[in-house]
Amino acid sequence: NAGVTQTPKFQVLKTGQSMTLQCAQDMNHEYMSWYRQDPGMGLRLIHYSVGAGITDQGEVPNGYNVSRSTTEDFPLRLLSAAPSQTSVYFCASSYTMNTEAFFGQGTRLTVV
Amino acid sequence: EDQVTQSPEALRLQEGESSSLNCSYTVSGLRGLFWYRQDPGKGPEFLFTLYSAGEEKEKERLKATLTKKESFLHITAPKPEDSATYLCAPWGDKFYFGSGTKLNVKP
């Protein structure tokens, strides 16, 4: 049972480049979310989805885009990378918003 | 404004030295609170869900309690393998994570 799988684990981007962080879960969870984690600031919600075809913005959505075409996958797109997006990104899934979440291993992104 | 504060930011304990971590919050329409454990380089791992004031949950050396304004994670006779960052996450209309308490247990 893989749980939540994120790829890549590490990534270095140049300012202005775009990329997609991949997230897949095999638990048939409806709720999926993306967080960024910065030192001293805890996890902050970027975007979330309550099911296939439905997405919504979290606390810090600017500069990021998401889509949810299947229950399993929830990719996060950086449209034009900026140094302020240097962070560790976590994808999570759960049955609903208010049930325990399972997190991926994270993607450490550096924008230079 | 909704707010979550965890204290202390860091805690060093000797093996066997019991202590408590605090999570205080102001969250509109609080409906529950999660505790997670996070090891370096990994994603958070679920520990407990608490739904109402007065509720307690236990797991091995950990016990979580909840009041209307704060939650405590009590660690009894900790071992080095309990070293990690502990995150609380209260939720109401929205979901929030605290910045965590980094616990280091020395043998």
Side-chain angles (χ1 to χ4, degrees), chain A residues 2-20:
Chain A
V4 179
T5 303
Q6 283 184 242
T7 55
K9 285 205 73 174
F10 301 94
Q11 183 71 50
V12 179
L13 287 180
K14 293 183 179 178
T15 298
Q17 285 185 317
S18 63
M19 79 158 294
T20 300

Side-chain angles (χ1 to χ4, degrees), chain A residues 1-3 9 14 20 22 24 36 46 53 71 77 87 96 102:
Chain A
N1 189 355
K9 285 205 73 174
K14 293 183 179 178
T20 300
Q22 301 291 345
R36 60 179 288 173
I46 305 171
T71 299
R77 276 180 285 279
S87 187
T96 69
F102 294 81

Side-chain angles (χ1 to χ4, degrees), chain B residues 48-89:
Chain B
F48 303 110
T49 309
L50 300 166
Y51 290 103
S52 56
E55 188 175 0
E56 297 183 354
K57 293 268 179 79
E58 282 189 70
K59 181 180 178 180
E60 296 179 0
R61 295 174 293 281
L62 300 177
K63 183 169 79 172
T65 62
L66 185 68
T67 72
K68 288 186 178 179
K69 295 289 186 187
E70 56 189 351
S71 178
F72 290 93
L73 185 66
H74 306 279
I75 303 176
T76 302
K79 297 182 177 182
E81 53 262 42
D82 294 321
S83 297
T85 297
Y86 291 86
L87 304 169
C88 70

Side-chain angles (χ1 to χ4, degrees), chain A residues 35 37 40-43 90 97-101 103-105, chain B residues 31 34 36 38 41-44 46 87 91 95 97-99:
Chain A
Y35 293 88
Q37 187 173 39
M41 297 193 72
L43 287 154
F90 289 100
M97 188 182 88
N98 299 328
T99 54
E100 64 180 272
F103 284 81
Q105 293 288 297
Chain B
R31 289 190 277 162
F34 294 123
Y36 287 87
Q38 186 174 22
K42 296 193 172 182
F46 172 78
L87 304 169
W91 85 84
F95 214 103
F97 271 91
S99 54

Side-chain angles (χ1 to χ4, degrees), chain A residues 31-35 44-50 54-67 74 76 79 97, chain B residues 93-95:
Chain A
Y31 186 81
M32 295 186 75
S33 52
W34 276 101
Y35 293 88
R44 291 184 292 168
L45 182 63
I46 305 171
H47 285 286
Y48 65 95
S49 168
V50 298
I54 306 169
T55 64
D56 206 347
Q57 296 181 352
E59 183 184 356
V60 288
N62 293 341
Y64 307 95
N65 210 350
V66 292
S67 60
F74 190 43
L76 177 72
L79 308 173
M97 188 182 88
Chain B
D93 299 328
K94 296 182 181 179
F95 214 103

